Amino acid sequence: MAETLIILPTYNEIESLGTVLGRIRQAVPQADVLVVDDASPDGTGGLADRLASADPGISVLHRAAKQGLGRAYLAGFAHALDHGYRFVVEMDADGSHDPSALPAMIDLAVGGADLVIGSRWVHGGSVRNWPWVRQVISRAGNSYSRTVLRSGIHDITAGFRVYRADALRSLDLSSVSSQGYCFQVELAWRLERAGRRVVEHPIVFIERAAGRSKMHPGIVVEALLRVTLWGVFGPSSPKRELPPEEK
């Protein structure tokens, strides 16, 4: 059985899914892939099923409706832990995360890192094809989170990650309700506060070439609100559940 499970949340990613899965299978053929599709109206779930039928290393989890990135990853984590994987990967299905970085990131986790973050904002990391506004928002959000949470992580909002399964088991995942950027911030911060080893590996982040970005103002507002509350009150601060249109 494979030791690593790569979780790919999808919503309307039919233009990029096949290419991304092909690149993943080339980069880490020994890993399994779980596509978590939120009933994509463009047929992404059906494409995922067809690709899975031709490759035993790919499986698909269909969810009834769009429920947010955080819940998609939590469903993937539950699958990974239930099936005994040692390492769990988060990455986007839009092509912005380069699968060729996975071997080095997984090696860092094998070597003892509890969380390996594919980081844009450390030496050697960069972004391509982003407008300056997106870069400013990302840098400012990371800087604000680091300051308020007293964190040493430079790219705490990054969504390209490798977790050790035992580190995920140590978290109370049932209490996580964040979405988007804030989901990534919350999990990394919880592990950092618990004394777990967090390592940042430089990556080149490439803006999607197809489809539409899932970034919207609600994600930014949620992140600012939650990070501020955590910084003031700690991780047990009150949670604000966002309405579906903001997820």
Side-chain angles (χ1 to χ4, degrees), residues 106-144:
I106 293 170
D107 281 348
L108 288 169
V110 171
D114 295 296
L115 168 60
V116 181
I117 296 177
S119 180
R120 300 158 292 186
W121 307 127
V122 295
H123 180 71
S126 63
V127 297
R128 292 181 185 169
N129 304 328
W130 256 15
W132 68 268
V133 173
R134 284 290 300 275
Q135 294 196 43
V136 168
I137 290 172
S138 180
R139 285 186 177 275
N142 276 287
S143 179
Y144 181 76

PDB file of all heavy atoms in Angstrom, residues 106-144:
ATOM      1  N   ILE A 106       8.110  15.591   0.303  1.00  0.00           N
ATOM      2  CA  ILE A 106       7.818  14.339   1.006  1.00  0.00           C
ATOM      3  C   ILE A 106       9.057  13.830   1.729  1.00  0.00           C
ATOM      4  O   ILE A 106       8.976  13.331   2.861  1.00  0.00           O
ATOM      5  CB  ILE A 106       7.270  13.287   0.016  1.00  0.00           C
ATOM      6  CG1 ILE A 106       5.886  13.723  -0.497  1.00  0.00           C
ATOM      7  CG2 ILE A 106       7.175  11.912   0.678  1.00  0.00           C
ATOM      8  CD1 ILE A 106       5.359  12.890  -1.645  1.00  0.00           C
ATOM      9  N   ASP A 107      10.222  13.995   1.118  1.00  0.00           N
ATOM     10  CA  ASP A 107      11.475  13.584   1.785  1.00  0.00           C
ATOM     11  C   ASP A 107      11.667  14.336   3.098  1.00  0.00           C
ATOM     12  O   ASP A 107      12.151  13.765   4.082  1.00  0.00           O
ATOM     13  CB  ASP A 107      12.668  13.829   0.865  1.00  0.00           C
ATOM     14  CG  ASP A 107      12.827  12.750  -0.200  1.00  0.00           C
ATOM     15  OD1 ASP A 107      12.155  11.701  -0.091  1.00  0.00           O
ATOM     16  OD2 ASP A 107      13.624  12.963  -1.136  1.00  0.00           O
ATOM     17  N   LEU A 108      11.301  15.615   3.134  1.00  0.00           N
ATOM     18  CA  LEU A 108      11.423  16.380   4.368  1.00  0.00           C
ATOM     19  C   LEU A 108      10.497  15.823   5.454  1.00  0.00           C
ATOM     20  O   LEU A 108      10.855  15.773   6.637  1.00  0.00           O
ATOM     21  CB  LEU A 108      11.113  17.855   4.115  1.00  0.00           C
ATOM     22  CG  LEU A 108      12.178  18.631   3.330  1.00  0.00           C
ATOM     23  CD1 LEU A 108      11.638  19.990   2.901  1.00  0.00           C
ATOM     24  CD2 LEU A 108      13.439  18.806   4.178  1.00  0.00           C
ATOM     25  N   ALA A 109       9.307  15.402   5.046  1.00  0.00           N
ATOM     26  CA  ALA A 109       8.387  14.794   6.010  1.00  0.00           C
ATOM     27  C   ALA A 109       8.902  13.432   6.477  1.00  0.00           C
ATOM     28  O   ALA A 109       8.825  13.100   7.664  1.00  0.00           O
ATOM     29  CB  ALA A 109       6.999  14.663   5.395  1.00  0.00           C
ATOM     30  N   VAL A 110       9.440  12.647   5.564  1.00  0.00           N
ATOM     31  CA  VAL A 110      10.034  11.362   5.937  1.00  0.00           C
ATOM     32  C   VAL A 110      11.172  11.592   6.935  1.00  0.00           C
ATOM     33  O   VAL A 110      11.376  10.807   7.877  1.00  0.00           O
ATOM     34  CB  VAL A 110      10.545  10.617   4.689  1.00  0.00           C
ATOM     35  CG1 VAL A 110      11.355   9.376   5.087  1.00  0.00           C
ATOM     36  CG2 VAL A 110       9.375  10.213   3.789  1.00  0.00           C
ATOM     37  N   GLY A 111      11.908  12.695   6.764  1.00  0.00           N
ATOM     38  CA  GLY A 111      13.027  13.012   7.631  1.00  0.00           C
ATOM     39  C   GLY A 111      12.638  13.561   8.997  1.00  0.00           C
ATOM     40  O   GLY A 111      13.511  13.838   9.815  1.00  0.00           O
ATOM     41  N   GLY A 112      11.331  13.758   9.220  1.00  0.00           N
ATOM     42  CA  GLY A 112      10.901  14.156  10.551  1.00  0.00           C
ATOM     43  C   GLY A 112      10.075  15.418  10.651  1.00  0.00           C
ATOM     44  O   GLY A 112       9.579  15.731  11.735  1.00  0.00           O
ATOM     45  N   ALA A 113       9.901  16.158   9.560  1.00  0.00           N
ATOM     46  CA  ALA A 113       9.059  17.351   9.619  1.00  0.00           C
ATOM     47  C   ALA A 113       7.598  16.940   9.758  1.00  0.00           C
ATOM     48  O   ALA A 113       7.117  16.049   9.049  1.00  0.00           O
ATOM     49  CB  ALA A 113       9.245  18.202   8.371  1.00  0.00           C
ATOM     50  N   ASP A 114       6.886  17.575  10.673  1.00  0.00           N
ATOM     51  CA  ASP A 114       5.462  17.281  10.863  1.00  0.00           C
ATOM     52  C   ASP A 114       4.599  17.969   9.816  1.00  0.00           C
ATOM     53  O   ASP A 114       3.533  17.482   9.460  1.00  0.00           O
ATOM     54  CB  ASP A 114       5.025  17.714  12.259  1.00  0.00           C
ATOM     55  CG  ASP A 114       5.713  16.918  13.348  1.00  0.00           C
ATOM     56  OD1 ASP A 114       5.492  15.689  13.406  1.00  0.00           O
ATOM     57  OD2 ASP A 114       6.489  17.506  14.118  1.00  0.00           O
ATOM     58  N   LEU A 115       5.064  19.118   9.356  1.00  0.00           N
ATOM     59  CA  LEU A 115       4.376  19.865   8.298  1.00  0.00           C
ATOM     60  C   LEU A 115       5.424  20.482   7.392  1.00  0.00           C
ATOM     61  O   LEU A 115       6.320  21.182   7.874  1.00  0.00           O
ATOM     62  CB  LEU A 115       3.481  20.965   8.895  1.00  0.00           C
ATOM     63  CG  LEU A 115       2.925  22.005   7.924  1.00  0.00           C
ATOM     64  CD1 LEU A 115       2.069  21.346   6.853  1.00  0.00           C
ATOM     65  CD2 LEU A 115       2.126  23.069   8.675  1.00  0.00           C
ATOM     66  N   VAL A 116       5.324  20.211   6.114  1.00  0.00           N
ATOM     67  CA  VAL A 116       6.193  20.825   5.111  1.00  0.00           C
ATOM     68  C   VAL A 116       5.323  21.748   4.263  1.00  0.00           C
ATOM     69  O   VAL A 116       4.341  21.294   3.662  1.00  0.00           O
ATOM     70  CB  VAL A 116       6.879  19.780   4.221  1.00  0.00           C
ATOM     71  CG1 VAL A 116       7.799  20.461   3.199  1.00  0.00           C
ATOM     72  CG2 VAL A 116       7.652  18.766   5.060  1.00  0.00           C
ATOM     73  N   ILE A 117       5.679  23.012   4.232  1.00  0.00           N
ATOM     74  CA  ILE A 117       4.912  24.005   3.480  1.00  0.00           C
ATOM     75  C   ILE A 117       5.680  24.375   2.220  1.00  0.00           C
ATOM     76  O   ILE A 117       6.852  24.751   2.285  1.00  0.00           O
ATOM     77  CB  ILE A 117       4.664  25.264   4.330  1.00  0.00           C
ATOM     78  CG1 ILE A 117       3.802  24.926   5.547  1.00  0.00           C
ATOM     79  CG2 ILE A 117       4.008  26.361   3.488  1.00  0.00           C
ATOM     80  CD1 ILE A 117       3.579  26.098   6.486  1.00  0.00           C
ATOM     81  N   GLY A 118       5.024  24.252   1.074  1.00  0.00           N
ATOM     82  CA  GLY A 118       5.581  24.763  -0.166  1.00  0.00           C
ATOM     83  C   GLY A 118       5.447  26.270  -0.158  1.00  0.00           C
ATOM     84  O   GLY A 118       4.353  26.804  -0.363  1.00  0.00           O
ATOM     85  N   SER A 119       6.558  26.972   0.097  1.00  0.00           N
ATOM     86  CA  SER A 119       6.508  28.392   0.428  1.00  0.00           C
ATOM     87  C   SER A 119       6.920  29.287  -0.729  1.00  0.00           C
ATOM     88  O   SER A 119       7.951  29.089  -1.363  1.00  0.00           O
ATOM     89  CB  SER A 119       7.415  28.663   1.637  1.00  0.00           C
ATOM     90  OG  SER A 119       7.387  30.028   1.988  1.00  0.00           O
ATOM     91  N   ARG A 120       6.099  30.308  -0.953  1.00  0.00           N
ATOM     92  CA  ARG A 120       6.397  31.322  -1.969  1.00  0.00           C
ATOM     93  C   ARG A 120       7.283  32.421  -1.418  1.00  0.00           C
ATOM     94  O   ARG A 120       7.962  33.104  -2.179  1.00  0.00           O
ATOM     95  CB  ARG A 120       5.076  31.952  -2.458  1.00  0.00           C
ATOM     96  CG  ARG A 120       4.100  30.976  -3.077  1.00  0.00           C
ATOM     97  CD  ARG A 120       2.684  31.503  -3.041  1.00  0.00           C
ATOM     98  NE  ARG A 120       2.174  31.579  -1.665  1.00  0.00           N
ATOM     99  CZ  ARG A 120       0.915  31.893  -1.361  1.00  0.00           C
ATOM    100  NH1 ARG A 120       0.048  32.170  -2.319  1.00  0.00           N
ATOM    101  NH2 ARG A 120       0.525  31.945  -0.091  1.00  0.00           N
ATOM    102  N   TRP A 121       7.264  32.607  -0.101  1.00  0.00           N
ATOM    103  CA  TRP A 121       7.850  33.804   0.479  1.00  0.00           C
ATOM    104  C   TRP A 121       9.076  33.515   1.347  1.00  0.00           C
ATOM    105  O   TRP A 121       9.331  34.198   2.333  1.00  0.00           O
ATOM    106  CB  TRP A 121       6.800  34.572   1.291  1.00  0.00           C
ATOM    107  CG  TRP A 121       5.550  34.862   0.516  1.00  0.00           C
ATOM    108  CD1 TRP A 121       4.271  34.568   0.876  1.00  0.00           C
ATOM    109  CD2 TRP A 121       5.432  35.521  -0.752  1.00  0.00           C
ATOM    110  NE1 TRP A 121       3.376  34.992  -0.076  1.00  0.00           N
ATOM    111  CE2 TRP A 121       4.067  35.578  -1.087  1.00  0.00           C
ATOM    112  CE3 TRP A 121       6.365  36.069  -1.651  1.00  0.00           C
ATOM    113  CZ2 TRP A 121       3.608  36.159  -2.277  1.00  0.00           C
ATOM    114  CZ3 TRP A 121       5.900  36.632  -2.832  1.00  0.00           C
ATOM    115  CH2 TRP A 121       4.535  36.680  -3.130  1.00  0.00           C
ATOM    116  N   VAL A 122       9.835  32.470   0.984  1.00  0.00           N
ATOM    117  CA  VAL A 122      11.159  32.250   1.567  1.00  0.00           C
ATOM    118  C   VAL A 122      12.175  32.335   0.438  1.00  0.00           C
ATOM    119  O   VAL A 122      11.809  32.361  -0.748  1.00  0.00           O
ATOM    120  CB  VAL A 122      11.262  30.882   2.291  1.00  0.00           C
ATOM    121  CG1 VAL A 122      10.344  30.848   3.495  1.00  0.00           C
ATOM    122  CG2 VAL A 122      10.958  29.733   1.332  1.00  0.00           C
ATOM    123  N   HIS A 123      13.459  32.385   0.785  1.00  0.00           N
ATOM    124  CA  HIS A 123      14.505  32.475  -0.227  1.00  0.00           C
ATOM    125  C   HIS A 123      14.392  31.310  -1.205  1.00  0.00           C
ATOM    126  O   HIS A 123      14.337  30.150  -0.799  1.00  0.00           O
ATOM    127  CB  HIS A 123      15.879  32.469   0.430  1.00  0.00           C
ATOM    128  CG  HIS A 123      17.010  32.563  -0.557  1.00  0.00           C
ATOM    129  ND1 HIS A 123      17.293  33.722  -1.249  1.00  0.00           N
ATOM    130  CD2 HIS A 123      17.918  31.629  -0.975  1.00  0.00           C
ATOM    131  CE1 HIS A 123      18.328  33.503  -2.048  1.00  0.00           C
ATOM    132  NE2 HIS A 123      18.721  32.254  -1.894  1.00  0.00           N
ATOM    133  N   GLY A 124      14.348  31.616  -2.485  1.00  0.00           N
ATOM    134  CA  GLY A 124      14.205  30.602  -3.515  1.00  0.00           C
ATOM    135  C   GLY A 124      12.783  30.403  -3.980  1.00  0.00           C
ATOM    136  O   GLY A 124      12.539  29.797  -5.018  1.00  0.00           O
ATOM    137  N   GLY A 125      11.813  30.921  -3.224  1.00  0.00           N
ATOM    138  CA  GLY A 125      10.412  30.828  -3.621  1.00  0.00           C
ATOM    139  C   GLY A 125       9.990  32.046  -4.424  1.00  0.00           C
ATOM    140  O   GLY A 125      10.605  33.118  -4.331  1.00  0.00           O
ATOM    141  N   SER A 126       8.926  31.908  -5.224  1.00  0.00           N
ATOM    142  CA  SER A 126       8.455  33.035  -6.033  1.00  0.00           C
ATOM    143  C   SER A 126       7.056  32.744  -6.552  1.00  0.00           C
ATOM    144  O   SER A 126       6.532  31.635  -6.398  1.00  0.00           O
ATOM    145  CB  SER A 126       9.405  33.276  -7.226  1.00  0.00           C
ATOM    146  OG  SER A 126       9.423  32.159  -8.087  1.00  0.00           O
ATOM    147  N   VAL A 127       6.459  33.751  -7.169  1.00  0.00           N
ATOM    148  CA  VAL A 127       5.172  33.581  -7.849  1.00  0.00           C
ATOM    149  C   VAL A 127       5.312  34.086  -9.281  1.00  0.00           C
ATOM    150  O   VAL A 127       6.120  34.978  -9.561  1.00  0.00           O
ATOM    151  CB  VAL A 127       4.032  34.336  -7.130  1.00  0.00           C
ATOM    152  CG1 VAL A 127       3.809  33.795  -5.731  1.00  0.00           C
ATOM    153  CG2 VAL A 127       4.300  35.828  -7.093  1.00  0.00           C
ATOM    154  N   ARG A 128       4.537  33.491 -10.164  1.00  0.00           N
ATOM    155  CA  ARG A 128       4.537  33.914 -11.566  1.00  0.00           C
ATOM    156  C   ARG A 128       3.112  34.222 -12.009  1.00  0.00           C
ATOM    157  O   ARG A 128       2.167  33.540 -11.626  1.00  0.00           O
ATOM    158  CB  ARG A 128       5.108  32.815 -12.470  1.00  0.00           C
ATOM    159  CG  ARG A 128       6.598  32.553 -12.284  1.00  0.00           C
ATOM    160  CD  ARG A 128       7.083  31.484 -13.235  1.00  0.00           C
ATOM    161  NE  ARG A 128       8.479  31.133 -12.983  1.00  0.00           N
ATOM    162  CZ  ARG A 128       9.086  30.091 -13.529  1.00  0.00           C
ATOM    163  NH1 ARG A 128       8.423  29.303 -14.377  1.00  0.00           N
ATOM    164  NH2 ARG A 128      10.351  29.842 -13.244  1.00  0.00           N
ATOM    165  N   ASN A 129       3.001  35.250 -12.836  1.00  0.00           N
ATOM    166  CA  ASN A 129       1.736  35.624 -13.479  1.00  0.00           C
ATOM    167  C   ASN A 129       0.687  36.127 -12.498  1.00  0.00           C
ATOM    168  O   ASN A 129      -0.515  36.057 -12.783  1.00  0.00           O
ATOM    169  CB  ASN A 129       1.168  34.443 -14.292  1.00  0.00           C
ATOM    170  CG  ASN A 129       2.146  33.919 -15.314  1.00  0.00           C
ATOM    171  OD1 ASN A 129       2.954  34.669 -15.860  1.00  0.00           O
ATOM    172  ND2 ASN A 129       2.092  32.616 -15.571  1.00  0.00           N
ATOM    173  N   TRP A 130       1.129  36.633 -11.356  1.00  0.00           N
ATOM    174  CA  TRP A 130       0.207  37.251 -10.414  1.00  0.00           C
ATOM    175  C   TRP A 130       0.203  38.741 -10.603  1.00  0.00           C
ATOM    176  O   TRP A 130       1.265  39.364 -10.696  1.00  0.00           O
ATOM    177  CB  TRP A 130       0.641  36.940  -8.985  1.00  0.00           C
ATOM    178  CG  TRP A 130      -0.177  35.887  -8.303  1.00  0.00           C
ATOM    179  CD1 TRP A 130      -1.031  35.013  -8.873  1.00  0.00           C
ATOM    180  CD2 TRP A 130      -0.195  35.625  -6.893  1.00  0.00           C
ATOM    181  NE1 TRP A 130      -1.578  34.199  -7.918  1.00  0.00           N
ATOM    182  CE2 TRP A 130      -1.090  34.547  -6.702  1.00  0.00           C
ATOM    183  CE3 TRP A 130       0.452  36.180  -5.793  1.00  0.00           C
ATOM    184  CZ2 TRP A 130      -1.348  34.020  -5.436  1.00  0.00           C
ATOM    185  CZ3 TRP A 130       0.198  35.651  -4.542  1.00  0.00           C
ATOM    186  CH2 TRP A 130      -0.703  34.588  -4.371  1.00  0.00           C
ATOM    187  N   PRO A 131      -0.966  39.398 -10.629  1.00  0.00           N
ATOM    188  CA  PRO A 131      -0.995  40.863 -10.621  1.00  0.00           C
ATOM    189  C   PRO A 131      -0.438  41.374  -9.301  1.00  0.00           C
ATOM    190  O   PRO A 131      -0.470  40.678  -8.275  1.00  0.00           O
ATOM    191  CB  PRO A 131      -2.482  41.184 -10.773  1.00  0.00           C
ATOM    192  CG  PRO A 131      -3.194  39.970 -10.299  1.00  0.00           C
ATOM    193  CD  PRO A 131      -2.314  38.809 -10.643  1.00  0.00           C
ATOM    194  N   TRP A 132       0.072  42.594  -9.309  1.00  0.00           N
ATOM    195  CA  TRP A 132       0.698  43.126  -8.098  1.00  0.00           C
ATOM    196  C   TRP A 132      -0.261  43.173  -6.922  1.00  0.00           C
ATOM    197  O   TRP A 132       0.155  43.014  -5.769  1.00  0.00           O
ATOM    198  CB  TRP A 132       1.281  44.506  -8.383  1.00  0.00           C
ATOM    199  CG  TRP A 132       0.273  45.585  -8.646  1.00  0.00           C
ATOM    200  CD1 TRP A 132      -0.242  45.982  -9.842  1.00  0.00           C
ATOM    201  CD2 TRP A 132      -0.350  46.418  -7.654  1.00  0.00           C
ATOM    202  NE1 TRP A 132      -1.142  46.988  -9.686  1.00  0.00           N
ATOM    203  CE2 TRP A 132      -1.226  47.294  -8.345  1.00  0.00           C
ATOM    204  CE3 TRP A 132      -0.246  46.514  -6.267  1.00  0.00           C
ATOM    205  CZ2 TRP A 132      -2.011  48.236  -7.687  1.00  0.00           C
ATOM    206  CZ3 TRP A 132      -1.023  47.456  -5.604  1.00  0.00           C
ATOM    207  CH2 TRP A 132      -1.886  48.307  -6.316  1.00  0.00           C
ATOM    208  N   VAL A 133      -1.568  43.345  -7.196  1.00  0.00           N
ATOM    209  CA  VAL A 133      -2.539  43.402  -6.100  1.00  0.00           C
ATOM    210  C   VAL A 133      -2.582  42.086  -5.343  1.00  0.00           C
ATOM    211  O   VAL A 133      -2.612  42.059  -4.106  1.00  0.00           O
ATOM    212  CB  VAL A 133      -3.943  43.763  -6.642  1.00  0.00           C
ATOM    213  CG1 VAL A 133      -4.990  43.656  -5.531  1.00  0.00           C
ATOM    214  CG2 VAL A 133      -3.948  45.170  -7.236  1.00  0.00           C
ATOM    215  N   ARG A 134      -2.578  40.958  -6.075  1.00  0.00           N
ATOM    216  CA  ARG A 134      -2.585  39.652  -5.411  1.00  0.00           C
ATOM    217  C   ARG A 134      -1.324  39.450  -4.580  1.00  0.00           C
ATOM    218  O   ARG A 134      -1.369  38.883  -3.488  1.00  0.00           O
ATOM    219  CB  ARG A 134      -2.695  38.539  -6.458  1.00  0.00           C
ATOM    220  CG  ARG A 134      -4.068  38.333  -7.057  1.00  0.00           C
ATOM    221  CD  ARG A 134      -5.062  37.737  -6.082  1.00  0.00           C
ATOM    222  NE  ARG A 134      -4.663  36.441  -5.572  1.00  0.00           N
ATOM    223  CZ  ARG A 134      -4.892  35.271  -6.170  1.00  0.00           C
ATOM    224  NH1 ARG A 134      -5.501  35.257  -7.355  1.00  0.00           N
ATOM    225  NH2 ARG A 134      -4.516  34.146  -5.620  1.00  0.00           N
ATOM    226  N   GLN A 135      -0.186  39.897  -5.110  1.00  0.00           N
ATOM    227  CA  GLN A 135       1.057  39.745  -4.359  1.00  0.00           C
ATOM    228  C   GLN A 135       1.014  40.566  -3.070  1.00  0.00           C
ATOM    229  O   GLN A 135       1.447  40.093  -2.010  1.00  0.00           O
ATOM    230  CB  GLN A 135       2.249  40.154  -5.216  1.00  0.00           C
ATOM    231  CG  GLN A 135       2.482  39.247  -6.414  1.00  0.00           C
ATOM    232  CD  GLN A 135       3.874  39.429  -7.003  1.00  0.00           C
ATOM    233  OE1 GLN A 135       4.848  39.520  -6.277  1.00  0.00           O
ATOM    234  NE2 GLN A 135       3.954  39.492  -8.321  1.00  0.00           N
ATOM    235  N   VAL A 136       0.495  41.784  -3.172  1.00  0.00           N
ATOM    236  CA  VAL A 136       0.401  42.635  -1.987  1.00  0.00           C
ATOM    237  C   VAL A 136      -0.518  41.996  -0.944  1.00  0.00           C
ATOM    238  O   VAL A 136      -0.205  41.956   0.255  1.00  0.00           O
ATOM    239  CB  VAL A 136      -0.098  44.039  -2.362  1.00  0.00           C
ATOM    240  CG1 VAL A 136      -0.474  44.838  -1.116  1.00  0.00           C
ATOM    241  CG2 VAL A 136       0.964  44.777  -3.160  1.00  0.00           C
ATOM    242  N   ILE A 137      -1.674  41.476  -1.392  1.00  0.00           N
ATOM    243  CA  ILE A 137      -2.616  40.854  -0.462  1.00  0.00           C
ATOM    244  C   ILE A 137      -1.979  39.653   0.229  1.00  0.00           C
ATOM    245  O   ILE A 137      -2.085  39.487   1.451  1.00  0.00           O
ATOM    246  CB  ILE A 137      -3.900  40.418  -1.202  1.00  0.00           C
ATOM    247  CG1 ILE A 137      -4.707  41.653  -1.634  1.00  0.00           C
ATOM    248  CG2 ILE A 137      -4.756  39.513  -0.313  1.00  0.00           C
ATOM    249  CD1 ILE A 137      -5.880  41.322  -2.523  1.00  0.00           C
ATOM    250  N   SER A 138      -1.277  38.812  -0.549  1.00  0.00           N
ATOM    251  CA  SER A 138      -0.657  37.626   0.033  1.00  0.00           C
ATOM    252  C   SER A 138       0.450  37.986   1.011  1.00  0.00           C
ATOM    253  O   SER A 138       0.512  37.464   2.130  1.00  0.00           O
ATOM    254  CB  SER A 138      -0.096  36.736  -1.081  1.00  0.00           C
ATOM    255  OG  SER A 138       0.505  35.570  -0.532  1.00  0.00           O
ATOM    256  N   ARG A 139       1.319  38.892   0.603  1.00  0.00           N
ATOM    257  CA  ARG A 139       2.422  39.276   1.494  1.00  0.00           C
ATOM    258  C   ARG A 139       1.895  39.951   2.761  1.00  0.00           C
ATOM    259  O   ARG A 139       2.363  39.674   3.878  1.00  0.00           O
ATOM    260  CB  ARG A 139       3.389  40.206   0.755  1.00  0.00           C
ATOM    261  CG  ARG A 139       4.292  39.496  -0.257  1.00  0.00           C
ATOM    262  CD  ARG A 139       5.305  40.467  -0.825  1.00  0.00           C
ATOM    263  NE  ARG A 139       6.236  39.840  -1.748  1.00  0.00           N
ATOM    264  CZ  ARG A 139       7.356  39.220  -1.389  1.00  0.00           C
ATOM    265  NH1 ARG A 139       7.677  39.122  -0.100  1.00  0.00           N
ATOM    266  NH2 ARG A 139       8.166  38.709  -2.301  1.00  0.00           N
ATOM    267  N   ALA A 140       0.926  40.839   2.594  1.00  0.00           N
ATOM    268  CA  ALA A 140       0.377  41.547   3.747  1.00  0.00           C
ATOM    269  C   ALA A 140      -0.348  40.589   4.682  1.00  0.00           C
ATOM    270  O   ALA A 140      -0.221  40.678   5.911  1.00  0.00           O
ATOM    271  CB  ALA A 140      -0.565  42.652   3.285  1.00  0.00           C
ATOM    272  N   GLY A 141      -1.103  39.651   4.102  1.00  0.00           N
ATOM    273  CA  GLY A 141      -1.819  38.685   4.925  1.00  0.00           C
ATOM    274  C   GLY A 141      -0.878  37.807   5.724  1.00  0.00           C
ATOM    275  O   GLY A 141      -1.117  37.522   6.906  1.00  0.00           O
ATOM    276  N   ASN A 142       0.194  37.373   5.084  1.00  0.00           N
ATOM    277  CA  ASN A 142       1.176  36.551   5.791  1.00  0.00           C
ATOM    278  C   ASN A 142       1.896  37.350   6.868  1.00  0.00           C
ATOM    279  O   ASN A 142       2.125  36.863   7.978  1.00  0.00           O
ATOM    280  CB  ASN A 142       2.172  35.959   4.797  1.00  0.00           C
ATOM    281  CG  ASN A 142       1.668  34.692   4.156  1.00  0.00           C
ATOM    282  OD1 ASN A 142       1.607  33.645   4.776  1.00  0.00           O
ATOM    283  ND2 ASN A 142       1.289  34.779   2.883  1.00  0.00           N
ATOM    284  N   SER A 143       2.259  38.574   6.549  1.00  0.00           N
ATOM    285  CA  SER A 143       2.946  39.419   7.520  1.00  0.00           C
ATOM    286  C   SER A 143       2.057  39.700   8.727  1.00  0.00           C
ATOM    287  O   SER A 143       2.510  39.623   9.883  1.00  0.00           O
ATOM    288  CB  SER A 143       3.379  40.728   6.856  1.00  0.00           C
ATOM    289  OG  SER A 143       4.020  41.577   7.784  1.00  0.00           O
ATOM    290  N   TYR A 144       0.793  40.015   8.466  1.00  0.00           N
ATOM    291  CA  TYR A 144      -0.145  40.290   9.554  1.00  0.00           C
ATOM    292  C   TYR A 144      -0.329  39.053  10.430  1.00  0.00           C
ATOM    293  O   TYR A 144      -0.293  39.135  11.668  1.00  0.00           O
ATOM    294  CB  TYR A 144      -1.485  40.732   8.978  1.00  0.00           C
ATOM    295  CG  TYR A 144      -2.525  41.062  10.036  1.00  0.00           C
ATOM    296  CD1 TYR A 144      -2.459  42.250  10.741  1.00  0.00           C
ATOM    297  CD2 TYR A 144      -3.559  40.173  10.319  1.00  0.00           C
ATOM    298  CE1 TYR A 144      -3.392  42.559  11.713  1.00  0.00           C
ATOM    299  CE2 TYR A 144      -4.499  40.465  11.285  1.00  0.00           C
ATOM    300  CZ  TYR A 144      -4.418  41.658  11.986  1.00  0.00           C
ATOM    301  OH  TYR A 144      -5.338  41.943  12.958  1.00  0.00           O
TER     302      TYR A 144
END
